[in-house]
Amino acid sequence: MPTEIIKSGEVRVRIAPSPTGPLHIGTARTALFNFLFAKKHRGTFILRIEDTDLERSDPKYEKDIVEHLKWLGIAWDEGVEVGGEYAPYRQSERIYTYSKYVQKLLGEGKAFYCFHSKEELGRERQDQLKAKQTPIHLCEHRGLPERKIKDFMAKGNYVIRFVAPKKKVIFQDLIHGEVEFDTSLFGDFSIAKEIGVPLYNFAAAVDDFEMKISHVIRGEDHISNTPKQILIQEALDFPRPKYAHLPLILNPDRSKLSKRYLETSIGDYRVAGYLPEALVNFMVFLGWSPGTDREIFSLDELVKEFGLEKVQKSGAVFNVEKLDWFNGHYVRQKNLDELAKLCLPYLSAQAGPGEIDLDYAKKIVALERDRMKKLSDIRELAGFFLKEKLEYEKELLRWKKMTDEEVATNLKTVKTMIEPISDDLFTAAAIKETLDKEAEKTGKGELYWPFRAALSGLKQSPPPQEIAEVLGKEKTLLRIRAAIEKIGRG
Ligand code: GLU
């Protein structure tokens, strides 16, 4: 797509999640693209909670959305000021605005009351499907006289429908190019359940106008809503914002991203130990690319680089290995203090509360950080530091073809050689220096492998002298003794 010329300060964008579930990775990606676009053009990014569906909306999900957007660093610039902070706009608090416009359309004959019951509409739909027709409702309640309306009102429920002009709606999508829809397939679509309960397309069109939204950047699943919103804008004499529909996010098998394959909520990724920097960097590639090989971008760098012209049309496959790769990168970027703080909750869950302090966590994390992809990996990788007794098979102690006798002898040698080192000199360097001479005689693997396995109970772990320094002399000797007993030549 050609680059759009945009004057700074003109851009006003929004995300408009419905609080019917926790912050979804798709919504977070849309939020990120809107945020980057706004920042790049020194514009305004708005969070609007679309909570008019009272049955499905829940304030706990709004809380989750707000918390995780903040956690990702995707801050909005405007909203309802509460205690020096901006709470998001909520549609439930803007009912008067929608009622005003519904009344206007009713008054101008551009909308009408429909009193058909769900059952009647269901039957009509079934009949149309049977007759292989597109199921649309062209309502004969359009133009009912006042008296009739009053009678129906007294009897039961209604919806408000829009008199949709039959025409071709064409719009220029900044990602997809020219998009055309035939609105005769929409029928008389509903815009409100009652005067004060607007439905999505209507409330979105009204709010996009009232909030002076310049660009509507949202998921491609909304592309078919756009012509309906355009018809409503035209009926109300609203200007048309620009549109950009972002590609769908796909499972690895190219079906639409779903919880069946992958976690979809940002909160779940946070709990699993992904860092916000990694998620942001990963999410931007779900549809955008810089046009070079460069992969690592901070949020600030993205503000400079981002542009809608580099957003692809085709679906973006969610690749967890790539997310792990980004996360591993950002884990290694952290300084030890920060990383240990982030790992502490995972280690505490393993050790029991209060049993591990930050200093100890730092020692453990320093040894394991290169092997970590997610923060939660520290549980698996370093659990052995925190256990009283290690569970492992005796075979693990054996290096290549060593006999039990040789394993036991070498473990005893290690024990005898390191025992005289005083507690305060019990460092990795001192232990290595002491054992290296012996290893020249026994063979490196023959001496160090059983020692390492005895301390970690794992096939892979950091070198034994480094584990020993963190464990301290007493625990180290205890673990060697337990291993000698296990091999059965104690
Ligand atoms: N409430 C809609 C959603 O959550 C908003 C779509 C839009 O951005 O217009 O998908």
Side-chain angles (χ1 to χ4, degrees):
M1 285 276 101
T3 319
E4 218 198 338
I5 299 162
I6 300 163
K7 285 192 220 132
S8 62
E10 257 181 4
V11 165
R12 287 177 62 83
V13 293
R14 84 315 188 263
I15 55 154
S18 306
T20 53
L23 181 63
H24 189 277
I25 191 118
T27 312
R29 193 267 318 245
T30 302
L32 174 64
F33 282 31
N34 274 281
F35 172 87
L36 294 173
F37 186 72
K39 297 295 136 194
K40 173 147 191 141
H41 298 289
R42 297 202 186 83
T44 304
F45 169 56
I46 288 171
L47 170 60
R48 179 170 85 215
I49 301 289
E50 299 206 327
D51 58 351
T52 51
D53 184 344
L54 295 177
E55 272 158 44
R56 294 181 59 228
S57 300
D58 190 325
K60 77 171 183 224
Y61 294 130
E62 178 189 314
K63 226 174 128 228
D64 184 277
I65 292 166
V66 163
E67 181 186 333
H68 287 106
L69 283 174
K70 284 187 182 164
W71 179 72
L72 289 168
I74 303 176
W76 52 98
D77 306 303
E78 203 181 281
V80 186
E81 206 183 326
V82 189
E85 263 197 58
Y86 285 126
Y89 291 119
R90 289 186 197 96
Q91 288 193 327
S92 59
E93 291 166 0
R94 301 171 48 75
I95 293 305
Y96 169 74
T97 308
Y98 314 118
S99 323
K100 197 175 70 185
Y101 288 111
V102 172
Q103 297 282 17
K104 185 167 190 280
L105 289 181
L106 284 169
E108 291 171 3
K110 294 177 180 166
F112 63 92
Y113 295 99
C114 159
F115 298 97
H116 287 111
S117 66
K118 269 204 184 110
E119 292 71 31
E120 284 173 312
L121 294 171
R123 268 199 302 277
E124 180 185 63
R125 193 185 150 80
Q126 283 312 319
D127 291 346
Q128 288 170 336
L129 285 175
K130 248 187 245 158
K132 299 211 163 22
Q133 293 165 357
T134 315
I136 52 170
H137 180 60
L138 289 172
C139 190
E140 73 266 21
H141 289 174
R142 195 199 269 204
L144 279 183
E146 273 303 311
R147 185 178 39 79
K148 272 265 183 209
I149 293 177
K150 280 209 180 98
D151 283 355
F152 270 126
M153 284 266 186
K155 275 187 243 153
N157 290 341
Y158 62 85
V159 296
I160 295 160
R161 291 186 183 277
F162 181 66
V163 181
K166 292 188 190 60
K167 60 183 221 170
K168 284 204 169 25
V169 168
I170 299 173
F171 62 92
Q172 296 299 327
D173 189 284
L174 294 171
I175 295 163
H176 294 265
E178 187 171 291
V179 180
E180 184 180 311
F181 279 93
D182 180 355
T183 67
S184 63
L185 302 172
F186 296 159
D188 298 325
F189 61 87
S190 45
I191 54 172
K193 276 197 204 160
E194 289 171 36
I195 298 272
V197 187
L199 293 168
Y200 161 66
N201 280 311
F202 184 72
V206 167
D207 274 346
D208 287 343
F209 167 69
E210 288 269 327
M211 296 177 183
K212 301 188 173 57
I213 298 303
S214 61
H215 295 72
V216 171
I217 305 170
R218 61 183 167 198
E220 197 184 300
D221 42 339
H222 285 290
I223 206 161
S224 60
N225 287 321
T226 304
K228 291 184 181 170
Q229 292 171 18
I230 289 177
L231 289 180
I232 295 167
Q233 287 157 9
E234 288 176 349
L236 288 165
D237 273 334
F238 294 163
R240 186 189 293 189
K242 298 213 161 71
Y243 287 97
H245 288 92
L246 306 175
L248 291 178
I249 304 178
L250 307 176
N251 290 314
D253 71 354
R254 301 196 73 84
S255 56
K256 195 177 161 199
L257 182 69
S258 71
K259 221 179 146 62
R260 213 147 45 88
Y261 277 83
L262 291 160
E263 294 300 354
T264 53
S265 88
I266 293 291
D268 286 337
Y269 284 97
R270 182 185 185 175
V271 170
Y274 289 95
L275 297 170
E277 304 90 310
L279 277 162
V280 161
N281 203 154
F282 170 73
M283 285 192 303
V284 84
F285 280 98
L286 292 173
W288 174 83
S289 77
T292 63
D293 289 346
R294 181 169 168 200
E295 295 194 283
I296 299 296
F297 291 92
S298 70
L299 202 51
D300 285 344
E301 288 164 345
L302 285 173
V303 169
K304 286 192 210 108
E305 296 291 321
F306 185 80
L308 288 175
E309 63 287 348
K310 291 210 184 102
V311 175
Q312 74 203 42
K313 279 188 218 172
S314 56
V317 175
F318 189 111
N319 177 343
V320 186
E321 286 87 49
K322 195 74 202 178
L323 173 58
D324 285 347
W325 179 84
F326 277 119
N327 212 58
H329 170 83
Y330 286 102
V331 161
R332 284 186 292 283
Q333 293 290 300
K334 292 256 172 239
N335 70 44
L336 186 56
D337 226 52
E338 249 180 304
L339 188 59
K341 272 188 202 135
L342 291 166
C343 288
L344 202 53
Y346 298 93
L347 289 168
S348 301
Q350 191 89 355
E355 277 179 43
I356 169 158
D357 61 15
L358 188 61
D359 275 341
Y360 196 53
K362 262 163 82 173
K363 289 184 187 158
I364 295 178
V365 170
L367 289 193
E368 300 289 355
R369 63 185 305 166
D370 288 348
R371 267 176 273 259
M372 284 170 66
K373 289 199 181 100
K374 315 188 278 298
L375 300 176
S376 58
D377 291 345
I378 197 73
R379 277 191 305 231
E380 287 274 300
L381 290 169
F384 68 87
F385 280 105
L386 308 167
K387 284 188 192 139
E388 266 316 300
K389 194 166 178 287
L390 300 182
E391 308 280 346
Y392 58 90
E393 295 297 319
K394 136 181 156 177
E395 281 313 306
L396 188 76
L397 295 166
R398 193 182 317 282
W399 170 255
K400 295 201 171 148
K401 296 223 158 45
M402 284 172 89
T403 62
D404 287 5
E405 188 104 43
E406 285 163 343
V407 172
T409 307
N410 285 1
L411 282 170
K412 280 186 216 157
T413 306
V414 169
K415 184 167 145 287
T416 318
M417 294 190 77
I418 63 174
E419 217 160 6
I421 307 175
S422 66
D423 280 341
D424 51 333
L425 294 177
F426 201 75
T427 62
I431 298 167
K432 189 165 174 335
E433 204 193 311
T434 311
L435 294 180
D436 269 355
K437 278 175 240 134
E438 184 65 20
E440 278 169 27
K441 291 185 242 152
T442 58
K444 231 176 160 207
E446 281 77 359
L447 193 70
Y448 279 103
W449 176 277
F451 179 28
R452 198 195 53 72
L455 297 191
S456 70
L458 296 175
K459 265 206 188 102
Q460 283 177 350
S461 62
Q465 62 277 13
E466 291 182 12
I467 305 176
E469 177 179 328
V470 175
L471 285 174
K473 189 168 147 187
E474 194 188 324
K475 275 198 184 156
T476 300
L477 294 177
L478 267 174
R479 288 189 184 191
I480 299 174
R481 245 174 256 137
I484 296 170
E485 253 166 57
K486 199 182 271 274
I487 202 83
R489 292 288 188 277

